Amino acid sequence: MTPFFVSGDDGFVPNEIAHGGWGPTLGGQVVGGLLARAVEELVTDDGLQPARFTVEILRRVASAPVRVSASVVRSGSRMQAVDAAMTQDGDLVARASALYLRRGTQPDGEFWSTAVDLPPLPEEPAEFDDTMPMFIRAYGPDSEWTGEGFPWQQSGPRYAWLREVRELVAGEELSPFVRAALAVDVTSSMTNFSSTGLAFINADYTLALSRLPVGPYIGMAAITHTSAEGVATGSACLYDTSGPIGTGLSTAAANFNFSPNGSG
């Protein structure tokens, strides 16, 4: 499978598959993926858990080489804070902040959370389509829906199972953290689809993790959408095949040029 990026002297050089759905610019998921990769390289303590990762997309990122750097903001006995930045031609185009917390003993007692029942894992195709950035099976309230448009255009609950099937950077295996960082960008499109299509572009997104995902599949369930005067927020629960792993949160602004193949 074609990787999203190739590492070179000019930084990370994107392949066309790295385009998002808003034209010939890089998709938010790969922007976040590279920032997560830079953050993770600085955290060498295996006892620390990536608990929060926030990506801010400060401008549209052209389909051209990017450079990524990261720095430790603070380290303590129970936490580490790391910032990362992405530049293009010397200009800051995106940034991220991450908080790692130390794993420890789980408290006793019962905890309450909204119950969600995800659809079963989808049947994998014989081979994955190399023209699609990821393998995703989207579900609306009617999992057998065959109407026009996308399943998330149905009014009601929506879910997805997704699997990243290509390398972020050529020659590198995806880590569980980077895999989750790539997936959480879907929060925006999942929660912001209306009956007429997708008309919000995400300005930022946050990944909150109680644990790292196990296995290649990440499940998502839309929980909330609010919007007014062209500004939207959305949240989703994240899962692996063993159960919940965290939450995705997105803020977005109205935009009307979405095209699934990135040509809009």
Side-chain angles (χ1 to χ4, degrees), residues 20-25 60 255-264:
W22 304 97
T25 56
R60 293 194 181 192
N255 191 293
F256 300 94
N257 299 314
F258 179 77
S259 171
N261 62 9
S263 62

Side-chain angles (χ1 to χ4, degrees), residues 18 32-33 47 58 81 94 105 120 144 149 172 175 208 219 221 236 256:
L58 304 176
T105 302
E144 304 301 323
E172 296 182 7
S175 71
F256 300 94

Side-chain angles (χ1 to χ4, degrees), residues 99-110:
L99 178 66
Y100 280 68
L101 298 177
R102 186 164 301 284
R103 300 180 182 93
T105 302
Q106 174 69 6
D108 294 330
E110 296 182 2

Side-chain angles (χ1 to χ4, degrees), residues 42-134:
L42 288 186
V43 182
T44 59
D45 187 337
D46 291 339
L48 292 173
Q49 156 74 34
R52 196 236 341 125
F53 176 67
T54 298
V55 174
E56 296 178 57
I57 302 172
L58 304 176
R59 59 188 294 181
R60 293 194 181 192
V61 186
S63 183
V66 295
R67 295 186 181 275
V68 182
S69 61
S71 60
V72 175
V73 177
R74 184 180 183 277
S75 289
S77 61
R78 301 186 66 186
M79 59 81 68
Q80 188 169 33
V82 182
D83 285 353
M86 176 178 288
T87 59
Q88 199 164 55
D89 295 327
D91 295 326
L92 181 66
V93 294
R95 62 187 179 188
S97 64
L99 178 66
Y100 280 68
L101 298 177
R102 186 164 301 284
R103 300 180 182 93
T105 302
Q106 174 69 6
D108 294 330
E110 296 182 2
F111 300 91
W112 181 87
S113 182
T114 302
V116 175
D117 292 323
L118 262 69
L121 277 178
E123 182 176 346
E124 288 195 359
E127 60 182 34
F128 293 107
D129 186 349
D130 197 30
T131 67
M132 299 299 292
M134 68 176 65

Side-chain angles (χ1 to χ4, degrees), residues 28-33 36 51-55 57 134 136 152 162 164 176-192 202 204-209 213 218-221 234-239 245-251:
Q29 85 278 16
V30 298
V31 170
R52 196 236 341 125
F53 176 67
T54 298
V55 174
I57 302 172
M134 68 176 65
I136 181 168
W152 292 342
L162 54 97
E164 195 53 72
F177 176 47
V178 171
R179 188 177 292 278
L182 286 164
V184 73
D185 176 65
V186 175
T187 300
S188 181
S189 54
M190 170 181 275
T191 60
N192 289 322
N202 57 332
D204 75 4
Y205 55 87
T206 293
L207 169 67
L209 286 173
I218 292 180
M220 300 183 68
S235 64
C237 286
L238 274 62
Y239 295 76
I245 61 172
T247 304
L249 175 67
S250 173
T251 60

